[in-house]
Amino acid sequence: MALPDIHEECGRVLDGSRTRRWEERTSGRAMPGMPLNTGAVEARAAITRVLASWSGVVAEQRRTATPRREVRALAGFLLRHLDWLRGHEAVVDLAEEVAGLMRAAARVVDAPPKRGMSVGGCTVAGCGGVLVAWVARDPGKPPEVVCTETPGHRRALHEWLTPGAEPADADGDAPRPAAATTPLWLSATDIARLWQAPRGTVYRLASEKGWRRRSRSGRTLYHVGDARQSLAERGRRAAP
């Protein structure tokens, strides 16, 4: 069963220890930027969930102990019972689920990377994840802030930056309101990428509008609240 191997590949994409095949084919080296990949998080979670579910079915019907909830242990358990599974009435469903998991994980491993950056801790109370701002692949969609621990904890970047706008999560967990008011400082390159604006426009607006700035390790960083307001005004003027 190849699922454990592609599960590990998704893990290497997730933590940046592996160069994506797309990057190897096009550049021969890893692209810069935040390596965290929410698609890899979701693919790995789905593999574990499906293998654990089917292992539970086998253990219950064959009256045997379930393996530990670890992908290689789960896959090995199912392989040991493969002859029995071949005769199970739901074996077609199992085959289809495994094939779907393989396709989804392969898309993650081979996908062109989305560059992102950490913007602080998750705003949902009790969640220990890190929020990462991602540029959407679709130019018509705004950048999103997504939790690395629970991908369902997500907002559009401009919503997350608006004080008091953080929602409860889908399960009703309460947000931590203070997180959105924490100052966030980004470089002109990062601002241009997140708002999909020319870098020259960012520098011009920073000068004209007097954005707050600070220097860190020789780089000039701008206050995101100032950038958001100026770029929002620019967007409204450009709208028909």
Side-chain angles (χ1 to χ4, degrees), residues 109-148:
V109 170
D110 287 327
K114 292 192 297 181
R115 292 185 61 193
M117 66 199 71
S118 173
V119 293
C122 184
T123 58
V124 175
C127 181
V130 174
L131 290 177
V132 177
W134 297 104
V135 176
R137 284 195 176 95
D138 181 351
K141 293 182 179 180
E144 279 191 311
V145 174
V146 183
C147 176
T148 59

Side-chain angles (χ1 to χ4, degrees), residues 2-3 5-10 13 18 20-22 25 37 39-40 42-44 47 98-112 137:
L3 282 177
D5 293 332
I6 202 159
H7 180 271
E8 287 188 3
E9 284 198 65
C10 286
V13 169
R18 177 192 181 280
R20 296 172 180 81
R21 287 191 287 244
W22 181 87
R25 289 196 300 269
N37 185 311
E42 293 167 350
R44 284 165 59 86
I47 290 171
V98 169
L101 292 170
M102 289 293 296
R103 288 193 298 270
R107 285 195 295 269
V108 169
V109 170
D110 287 327
R137 284 195 176 95

Side-chain angles (χ1 to χ4, degrees), residues 70-220:
E70 189 274 325
V71 166
R72 289 202 176 274
L74 294 167
F77 176 81
L78 292 175
L79 285 174
R80 289 194 295 275
H81 294 273
L82 188 58
D83 288 340
W84 179 84
L85 281 166
R86 287 193 180 109
H88 195 280
E89 61 183 1
V91 67
V92 174
D93 294 334
L94 170 59
E96 289 178 350
E97 283 198 89
V98 169
L101 292 170
M102 289 293 296
R103 288 193 298 270
R107 285 195 295 269
V108 169
V109 170
D110 287 327
K114 292 192 297 181
R115 292 185 61 193
M117 66 199 71
S118 173
V119 293
C122 184
T123 58
V124 175
C127 181
V130 174
L131 290 177
V132 177
W134 297 104
V135 176
R137 284 195 176 95
D138 181 351
K141 293 182 179 180
E144 279 191 311
V145 174
V146 183
C147 176
T148 59
E149 183 71 22
T150 308
H153 299 168
R154 65 177 65 203
R155 292 302 299 275
L157 180 67
H158 72 275
E159 293 174 328
W160 180 81
L161 289 169
T162 302
E166 308 90 332
D169 115 278
D171 297 325
D173 295 330
R176 292 200 297 264
T181 61
T182 302
L184 179 62
W185 302 85
L186 297 176
S187 69
T189 299
D190 291 335
I191 291 170
R193 187 169 78 244
L194 286 173
W195 272 273
Q196 299 174 11
R199 187 158 42 176
T201 298
V202 173
Y203 284 123
R204 178 177 58 80
L205 289 172
S207 176
E208 290 179 355
K209 303 294 184 179
W211 292 359
R212 286 164 285 181
R213 65 188 68 195
R214 63 171 52 172
S215 179
R216 182 183 300 160
S217 301
R219 300 176 67 205
T220 298

Side-chain angles (χ1 to χ4, degrees), residues 52-62 66 77 84-85 88:
S53 175
W54 280 98
S55 295
V57 170
V58 172
E60 180 180 356
Q61 296 187 15
R62 305 212 74 187
T66 55
F77 176 81
W84 179 84
L85 281 166
H88 195 280

